[in-house]
Amino acid sequence: MNLRDHIASRIASTGPMRIDEYMTTCLLHPTLGYYTTRDPLGADGDFITAPEISQMFGELIGLSLAQHWLENGAPAPFTLAELGPGRGTLMADALRACRGVPGFVEAADITLVEVSPALRKIQADALAGFDVSWTDTVDALPDQPLYLVANEFFDALPIRQFLRDGSLWRERQVGLEQNDLVFGLGPAQPQPALNARLEDTKDGDLVESCAAAGPIMAALATRIETYGGCAIIIDYGDWRPLGDTFQAVKNHQKVNPLAAPGLADLTAHVDFEALAQAAAPCAHSQVTPQGVFLERLGITQRAQALADKMSGSTLDAHIAAHRRLTHPEEMGNLFKVMALTQSGSAPPRDWKHDA
């Protein structure tokens, strides 16, 4: 049985499926799930992430974390972690760049939070030569200072969608119509968790919530607030987004999210306000566009230094990569960045705490 038939059979037996249930099944089914059965990244996969576009991305993030580590007393040992590390490219680039930071790599307990067996094998190859450990959850991270990056991690967590109906909400669901998967709406009901959204929405507006993100942020915040450290979160989204952002990507093209269960990547935009609230009492930076963030860290200077050794098509690709990461019409504005630090501590250099 393929995953589409499995989902259809389940709906036929138990009724419409919530969006978060649908996402979880499509992405993490143990034998048919998208992340559990393939490497989805790169030119031969379904999508490409910033670390795969250019080494500069991981280098600058690594150096930003190392700078904060130095400014906070260079604790040793500490956990250097990544959530959803893909092919391990970001961490590999970060570690290479940080070899010049005295004591940083040596003090780091490198930990990758990854559920995909296929990706764990690829990450092990990318980080050969380093002592790396893996965990399925953030709750298993060591109780010590934590320096962490999460790039395009939270967008893959399952969401629920609600359509406002007066002071009530109708939940969007996946159902069956003549054996086809279709979207539908549940009955109008109160949703106390969405009371704050009554302030900025009107009838017919759709909002999304991600219950899975809160406990993850809380676990990160507990370690950072207790032991110190910093987390850098990079994803597409915004502060309190509005509207339907649920999407599927297959072969680098957007497709119908119901068309190919288990064969396409499913994501939704991240609500950075909800992440910040879940991380209290930790301090959080202002949410910054990725292009601005990378320019503050010196990506143009790094790009120029690398360009001096390039020519021809290699140079053209390098220039295109810089543009793709930073230009407002490419990833520069779509992706946002937020840093998390101990309450009362200074934010990472070139960052501002939110007012």
Side-chain angles (χ1 to χ4, degrees):
M1 179 181 292
N2 61 37
L3 191 57
R4 186 229 163 268
D5 291 343
H6 169 80
I7 291 171
S9 175
R10 180 173 159 186
I11 292 172
S13 298
T14 62
M17 183 181 290
R18 294 183 343 196
I19 300 294
D20 59 340
E21 297 170 333
Y22 177 77
M23 286 186 71
T24 300
T25 303
C26 289
L27 297 177
L28 298 178
H29 187 282
T31 58
L32 301 171
Y34 182 76
Y35 287 133
T36 53
T37 59
R38 74 197 64 234
D39 170 17
L41 298 168
D44 296 328
D46 292 312
F47 60 92
I48 189 167
T49 61
E52 306 293 331
I53 293 170
S54 172
Q55 69 185 68
M56 297 183 291
F57 187 81
E59 291 173 347
L60 293 172
I61 289 171
L63 291 171
S64 180
L65 290 174
Q67 182 67 43
H68 191 264
W69 176 78
L70 288 171
E71 292 173 352
N72 285 270
F78 73 95
T79 302
L80 179 63
E82 185 176 357
L83 304 185
R87 300 173 64 87
T89 304
L90 189 157
M91 184 61 75
D93 290 339
L95 289 168
R96 185 184 62 254
C98 290
R99 285 189 184 277
V101 179
F104 182 80
V105 174
E106 292 76 10
D109 291 333
I110 304 165
T111 306
L112 304 181
V113 181
E114 177 60 69
V115 298
S116 166
L119 287 176
R120 282 192 181 195
K121 292 178 182 178
I122 295 170
Q123 292 156 12
D125 291 338
L127 295 166
F130 293 100
D131 186 8
V132 181
S133 61
W134 283 264
T135 178
D136 288 341
T137 67
V138 296
D139 292 319
L141 292 172
D143 292 333
Q144 60 187 22
L146 174 63
Y147 288 79
L148 175 141
V149 60
N151 178 61
E152 292 198 56
F153 172 80
F154 286 96
D155 66 84
L157 296 182
I159 60 158
R160 295 171 71 182
Q161 293 186 318
F162 298 91
L163 193 78
R164 182 170 172 180
D165 185 349
S167 61
L168 304 177
W169 301 88
R170 301 182 67 188
E171 183 159 13
R172 199 176 187 212
Q173 301 170 330
V174 178
L176 275 178
E177 188 174 278
Q178 296 179 344
N179 206 38
D180 292 328
L181 298 178
V182 296
F183 287 115
L185 292 170
Q189 296 177 329
Q191 295 289 342
L194 296 178
N195 283 347
R197 298 309 304 265
L198 294 173
E199 303 168 2
D200 69 319
T201 58
K202 62 184 184 302
D203 273 10
D205 281 348
L206 187 143
V207 300
E208 298 171 338
S209 67
C210 180
I216 294 171
M217 288 298 292
L220 298 180
T222 295
R223 282 160 178 76
I224 291 173
E225 187 66 14
T226 304
Y227 304 104
C230 172
I232 296 177
I233 299 164
I234 308 148
D235 230 310
Y236 49 83
D238 216 328
W239 194 264
R240 195 184 283 206
L242 179 66
D244 178 14
T245 72
F246 183 42
Q247 67 176 22
V249 174
K250 191 174 189 298
N251 295 326
H252 300 270
Q253 301 292 326
K254 289 186 179 181
V255 297
N256 183 337
L258 304 182
L263 302 178
D265 185 41
L266 300 178
T267 63
H269 283 208
V270 171
D271 183 347
F272 280 92
E273 180 187 43
L275 295 187
Q277 290 173 342
C282 278
H284 62 88
S285 72
Q286 293 177 353
V287 174
T288 305
Q290 177 177 291
V292 174
F293 162 71
L294 293 174
E295 291 294 353
R296 286 177 180 173
L297 297 183
I299 190 171
T300 295
Q301 294 89 331
R302 177 60 174 152
Q304 290 169 342
L306 290 171
D308 287 341
K309 303 172 185 177
M310 298 177 181
S311 62
S313 60
T314 301
L315 177 59
D316 292 340
H318 175 63
I319 293 171
H322 175 268
R323 175 184 169 86
R324 186 167 182 185
L325 291 174
T326 62
H327 197 277
E329 295 181 1
E330 304 231 16
M331 298 174 73
N333 272 354
L334 175 64
F335 283 78
K336 307 295 193 302
V337 190
M338 183 174 73
L340 192 70
T341 53
Q342 250 182 339
S343 59
S345 71
R349 183 175 294 189
D350 299 320
W351 291 76
K352 295 180 180 179
H353 273 158
D354 193 57

